[in-house]
Amino acid sequence: MDQKEWAAAVDAGIAAEIKRRRAVLGLSAEALAARCADLGYPMSRQVISKLESGGRNGPTPAELLVLARALEIPPVALLLPLAQGPTAHPTPLTECSPWEAVAWFTGEDRGAAAGAPEAGSPQAALDAFRRHDRLVRTAMLSSKLAAERRQDAQLAAPEDYERANTTAGQLEVVAHTDRSDLLAARRALREQGLFPPPLPEALGHIDPETA
């Protein structure tokens, strides 16, 4: 596929996905334009109609971001739709499955890279944020479970108290470890010059720098 054909195909794919998603949400072009305006980046109904019909080149990066937000989907779902065919072309001379293209775009697929990414690299930053996200979910779950088991122990019959108390204590140790790991991950992000995202309210107390 030559570069002009490829660029046209990318624009056509985005246009088709904007139109499809707008139909799923039951939005007119005017309603979608209003959503974009509400997000602080006005786009007229005419511009959206031209994008969908191929009357102009594909959206600019800024337009792509705002349209994706207005359409309630990740930007990559507009740029590399998963349901438009069995193959995708993330570059003119690259052919792969749609999922492989998305994984490359989001940094899930490191291609030929092996081992840990270079410190300070974009891939290292992505990995650090993904690990932080996993640790948040893990700490939320273990903390909730430990609290529930502690409450169960307090309400247990005398003959069941020792077992329930032991189980609650074990889960509290796990939850404490998970929260410590999360705090360490947040400190590691800061050491890389990155900004940890806000913690859920239930975990906000573990990080003195954001408490």
Side-chain angles (χ1 to χ4, degrees), residues 9-10 13 21 31 37 44 51 64-66 68 83 101 104 109 111 119 124 136-137 140 162 167 181 185 190 200 206:
V10 170
R21 182 62 184 170
S44 70
L51 282 172
L64 183 76
L65 291 172
V66 172
W104 162 74
D109 177 18
V136 168
R137 294 196 300 271
M140 284 289 292
E162 184 175 352
T167 300
D181 288 345
R190 293 189 180 102
I206 74 169

Coordinates of all heavy atoms in Angstrom, one line a residue, residues 9-10 13 21 31 37 44 51 64-66 68 83 101 104 109 111 119 124 136-137 140 162 167 181 185 190 200 206:
A9 N -6.9 5.5 3.8 CA -7.5 4.4 4.5 C -7.6 4.7 6.0 O -8.6 4.4 6.6 CB -6.7 3.1 4.3
V10 N -6.6 5.3 6.5 CA -6.6 5.7 7.9 C -7.8 6.7 8.2 O -8.6 6.6 9.1 CB -5.3 6.3 8.4 CG1 -5.4 6.9 9.8 CG2 -4.2 5.2 8.4
G13 N -11.1 5.0 7.9 CA -11.4 4.2 9.1 C -11.9 5.0 10.2 O -12.8 4.6 11.0
R21 N -20.0 5.0 15.9 CA -20.2 5.3 17.4 C -21.2 6.3 17.7 O -22.0 6.2 18.7 CB -18.8 5.7 18.0 CG -18.8 5.9 19.5 CD -19.2 4.7 20.2 NE -19.3 5.0 21.7 CZ -19.7 4.1 22.6 NH1 -20.2 2.9 22.2 NH2 -19.8 4.5 23.8
A31 N -25.6 17.2 17.9 CA -25.5 16.8 19.4 C -24.0 16.5 19.7 O -23.5 16.8 20.7 CB -26.4 15.6 19.7
A37 N -18.1 21.0 22.2 CA -18.1 22.4 22.7 C -18.1 22.3 24.3 O -17.4 23.1 24.9 CB -19.3 23.2 22.2
S44 N -18.0 22.4 14.7 CA -19.3 22.6 14.1 C -19.9 21.3 13.6 O -19.1 20.3 13.3 CB -19.2 23.6 13.0 OG -18.5 23.1 11.9
L51 N -16.0 15.3 8.2 CA -15.1 14.2 8.6 C -15.7 12.9 8.3 O -15.0 12.0 7.8 CB -14.9 14.3 10.1 CG -13.9 15.4 10.6 CD1 -13.9 15.5 12.1 CD2 -12.5 15.1 10.1
L64 N -9.2 14.6 17.4 CA -9.3 13.1 17.7 C -9.5 12.9 19.2 O -10.4 12.1 19.6 CB -8.1 12.4 17.2 CG -8.1 10.9 17.4 CD1 -9.0 10.2 16.4 CD2 -6.7 10.3 17.3
L65 N -8.8 13.6 20.0 CA -8.9 13.5 21.5 C -10.3 13.9 21.9 O -10.9 13.2 22.7 CB -7.8 14.2 22.2 CG -6.4 13.7 22.0 CD1 -5.4 14.7 22.6 CD2 -6.2 12.4 22.7
V66 N -10.7 15.0 21.5 CA -12.0 15.6 21.9 C -13.2 14.7 21.4 O -14.1 14.4 22.1 CB -12.2 17.0 21.4 CG1 -13.6 17.5 21.7 CG2 -11.2 17.9 22.2
A68 N -13.1 11.5 20.7 CA -13.1 10.3 21.4 C -13.7 10.5 22.8 O -14.5 9.6 23.2 CB -11.7 9.7 21.6
A83 N -13.0 -3.5 14.9 CA -14.0 -4.3 14.2 C -14.2 -4.0 12.7 O -15.2 -4.3 12.2 CB -15.3 -4.1 14.9
A101 N -2.1 -4.2 16.3 CA -1.9 -2.7 16.0 C -2.2 -1.9 17.3 O -1.5 -1.0 17.6 CB -2.8 -2.3 14.9
W104 N 0.5 -2.4 20.0 CA 1.7 -1.6 19.6 C 1.4 -0.1 20.0 O 2.2 0.5 20.6 CB 2.0 -1.7 18.2 CG 2.9 -0.6 17.7 CD1 4.2 -0.5 17.9 CD2 2.5 0.5 16.9 NE1 4.7 0.7 17.3 CE2 3.6 1.3 16.7 CE3 1.3 0.9 16.3 CZ2 3.6 2.5 15.9 CZ3 1.2 2.1 15.6 CH2 2.4 2.9 15.4
D109 N 2.6 -4.1 23.5 CA 3.5 -5.0 22.7 C 4.8 -4.3 22.5 O 4.9 -3.2 21.9 CB 2.8 -5.3 21.3 CG 3.7 -6.2 20.4 OD1 4.7 -6.8 21.0 OD2 3.5 -6.2 19.2
G111 N 7.3 -5.5 20.8 CA 7.9 -5.9 19.6 C 9.2 -6.7 19.9 O 9.1 -7.7 20.6
A119 N 15.7 2.5 31.6 CA 15.3 3.5 32.6 C 15.1 4.8 32.0 O 15.9 5.3 31.3 CB 16.3 3.6 33.8
A124 N 9.3 2.4 30.0 CA 9.4 2.3 31.4 C 8.4 3.1 32.2 O 7.8 2.6 33.2 CB 10.8 2.7 31.9
V136 N -3.1 -0.5 42.9 CA -4.2 0.1 43.5 C -5.4 -0.8 43.6 O -6.1 -0.9 44.7 CB -4.6 1.4 42.6 CG1 -6.0 1.9 43.1 CG2 -3.6 2.5 42.8
R137 N -5.7 -1.6 42.5 CA -6.8 -2.5 42.6 C -6.6 -3.6 43.6 O -7.5 -4.0 44.3 CB -7.0 -3.1 41.2 CG -7.4 -2.1 40.1 CD -8.0 -2.8 38.9 NE -7.0 -3.7 38.3 CZ -6.2 -3.3 37.3 NH1 -6.2 -2.0 36.9 NH2 -5.3 -4.1 36.8
M140 N -7.0 -2.2 47.2 CA -8.4 -1.9 47.4 C -9.1 -3.2 47.8 O -9.8 -3.3 48.8 CB -9.1 -1.3 46.2 CG -8.7 0.2 46.0 SD -9.5 1.3 47.2 CE -11.2 1.1 46.8
E162 N -11.5 -17.5 67.7 CA -10.1 -17.7 67.5 C -9.7 -17.9 66.1 O -8.8 -17.3 65.5 CB -9.6 -18.9 68.4 CG -8.0 -19.1 68.3 CD -7.5 -20.2 69.2 OE1 -8.3 -20.7 70.0 OE2 -6.3 -20.5 69.0
T167 N -7.7 -15.6 60.9 CA -7.9 -15.3 59.5 C -7.9 -13.8 59.3 O -7.3 -13.3 58.3 CB -9.3 -15.9 59.0 OG1 -9.3 -17.3 59.2 CG2 -9.5 -15.6 57.6
D181 N 3.5 -1.9 49.2 CA 3.9 -2.0 47.8 C 3.4 -0.8 46.9 O 4.1 -0.3 46.1 CB 3.5 -3.3 47.2 CG 4.2 -4.5 47.8 OD1 5.3 -4.3 48.4 OD2 3.7 -5.6 47.5
A185 N 5.6 2.0 45.0 CA 5.4 2.3 43.5 C 5.2 3.8 43.3 O 5.7 4.3 42.3 CB 4.2 1.5 43.0
R190 N 7.6 9.0 41.3 CA 8.2 10.4 41.6 C 9.7 10.4 41.3 O 10.2 11.5 40.8 CB 7.9 10.8 43.0 CG 6.4 11.0 43.3 CD 6.2 11.7 44.7 NE 4.7 11.8 44.9 CZ 4.0 11.0 45.7 NH1 4.6 10.0 46.3 NH2 2.7 11.3 45.9
P200 N -7.8 6.4 45.4 CA -9.2 6.3 45.8 C -9.2 6.8 47.3 O -8.2 6.6 48.0 CB -9.5 4.8 45.7 CG -8.5 4.3 44.7 CD -7.3 5.1 44.9
I206 N -2.5 6.5 52.8 CA -1.2 5.8 52.8 C 0.0 6.6 52.2 O 1.1 6.2 52.5 CB -1.3 4.4 52.0 CG1 -1.3 4.7 50.5 CG2 -2.5 3.6 52.4 CD1 -1.2 3.5 49.6

